[in-house]
């Protein structure tokens, strides 16, 4: 009976040692897992911060681009008005040119000084 008691004690001590070892391994694994998780969370926080910063920069750039687009639209509208004005002016000049071409040629000057100047010019 004593031997069985001693064997049971030894088995209990061995089991206790095994349990302590397993608990220590579990604790070490849990600490390592927690450390990896914490590191991963820090990396994710850094990524989120960077993405938020990029998003804010993108919003500023988008606003700037909208302003530039509006300015260019206004400028294009102004240029369209200028083109329209120039077309009207060109049309008027074309009409004047056609009228000049259709008109009979002017008679030569009749006053003596103009005639003398014209003849000197011809020489």
């Amino acid at each position: 009976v004593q031997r069985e008691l001693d064997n049971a004690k030894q088995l209990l001590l061995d089991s206790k040692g095994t349990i302590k070892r397993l608990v220590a391994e579990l604790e070490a694994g849990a600490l390592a897992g927690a450390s990896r998780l914490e590191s991963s969370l820090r990396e994710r926080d850094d990524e989120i911060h960077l993405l938020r910063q990029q998003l804010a920069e993108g919003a500023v750039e988008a606003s700037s681009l909208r302003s530039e687009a509006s300015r260019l639209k206004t400028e294009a509208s102004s240029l369209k008005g200028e083109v329209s004005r120039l077309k009207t002016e060109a049309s008027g000049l074309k009409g004047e040119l056609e009228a000049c071409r259709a008109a009979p040629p002017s008679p030569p000057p009749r006053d003596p000084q103009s005639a003398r100047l014209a003849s000197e010019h011809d020489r």
Side-chain angles (χ1 to χ4, degrees), residues 65-83:
L65 289 173
R66 280 192 294 274
S67 295
E68 180 68 7
S70 177
R71 185 189 69 74
L72 290 173
K73 187 177 178 182
T74 301
E75 186 177 335
S77 178
S78 173
L79 289 173
K80 282 181 184 177
E82 181 70 10
V83 166

Side-chain angles (χ1 to χ4, degrees), residues 16-120:
K16 196 174 179 183
T18 301
I19 290 171
K20 283 184 178 181
R21 183 180 52 78
L22 290 173
V23 166
E25 287 176 13
L26 285 173
E27 286 176 347
L31 285 175
S35 177
R36 284 192 304 272
L37 181 59
E38 185 180 4
S39 176
S40 178
L41 288 174
R42 264 194 307 271
E43 288 175 10
R44 289 295 184 320
D45 283 347
D46 291 346
E47 289 173 8
I48 289 170
H49 176 74
L50 181 62
L51 289 172
R52 284 182 177 155
Q53 188 177 11
Q54 289 173 342
L55 183 61
E57 290 169 0
V60 168
E61 186 174 347
S63 176
S64 175
L65 289 173
R66 280 192 294 274
S67 295
E68 180 68 7
S70 177
R71 185 189 69 74
L72 290 173
K73 187 177 178 182
T74 301
E75 186 177 335
S77 178
S78 173
L79 289 173
K80 282 181 184 177
E82 181 70 10
V83 166
S84 178
R85 184 189 68 74
L86 289 172
K87 281 182 179 179
T88 302
E89 186 178 329
S91 177
L93 291 173
K94 184 178 177 185
E96 286 180 29
L97 178 62
E98 288 171 1
C100 287
R101 285 181 180 162
S106 319
R110 295 285 180 156
D111 70 72
Q113 186 176 8
S114 295
R116 183 178 58 77
L117 288 175
S119 68
E120 285 178 8

